[in-house]
Amino acid sequence: ILFGAPDLEVGVREVTARLGATPAPGGVHPTMGTTNALLSLGGGVYLEVLAPAPGHTELRGFGQQLAGLETPALVNWAARASDLEAVAAAATAAGLAPLGPVPGSRRTESGDLLEWRMLLIGGHDFGTFIPFFIDWGATPHPSITSPTGPRLVRFSVAHPRAAELAGLYRALGLEIEVAEDASPLFNAEIEGAVLTGP
């Protein structure tokens, strides 16, 4: 679950205040110009605080969006998958346009290189409400290596086109609760707190 902020320190302070646990610095994503801090939410789930990396003057894509945030909020999410090719086939069958798998990497604070593969899903107008998929391969999953925070109790979304979105989730093998609402919203219920966005 990605918690975006215009500045990493601001985002970490917000999460610490609301969850009572402090995310640990992760590293920099050079191709996006972003930096992160991670907190395990148990059950194979982690919270990633994501912000523009200091010193990166030419932000692209997601880094640019984060720089434009006024306040920290949930901005995106990823689904773990061990067979990205099968997810891509399911996406294509549902009329979507998968991109990838594409490689990703970042250096940790200690200098270790972490690598993964991602599958991006296009061909829709749901924005980040359709997640990207990630295969960590041989890299230890961040929910294991990150500091332990409170557990995620429930993750759900609200959207004005709830039935259509729920159908795409089913086609992609995702079991996510979708409620009908005029305003699109991510909702993460975590022991003792609720994080929302965008």
Side-chain angles (χ1 to χ4, degrees), residues 72-174:
L74 295 185
V75 293
N76 204 343
W77 63 296
R80 186 178 182 182
S82 58
D83 189 345
L84 296 181
E85 287 74 16
V87 176
T92 300
L96 300 172
L99 174 63
V102 296
S105 66
R106 69 172 166 84
R107 289 264 174 208
T108 66
E109 294 284 297
S110 61
D112 295 330
L113 180 66
L114 303 183
E115 297 180 288
W116 57 84
R117 296 191 311 147
M118 293 184 300
L119 181 73
L120 309 177
I121 307 293
H124 61 85
D125 59 356
F126 285 101
T128 58
F129 282 83
I130 298 293
F132 63 94
F133 290 78
I134 186 165
D135 177 10
W136 285 93
T139 296
H141 194 263
S143 66
I144 299 170
T145 58
S146 303
T148 302
R151 292 184 65 84
L152 177 71
V153 177
R154 181 170 162 259
F155 178 75
S156 61
V157 304
H159 201 277
R161 290 154 56 200
E164 185 182 352
L165 182 58
L168 291 177
Y169 285 166
R170 286 192 297 273
L172 294 170
L174 300 169

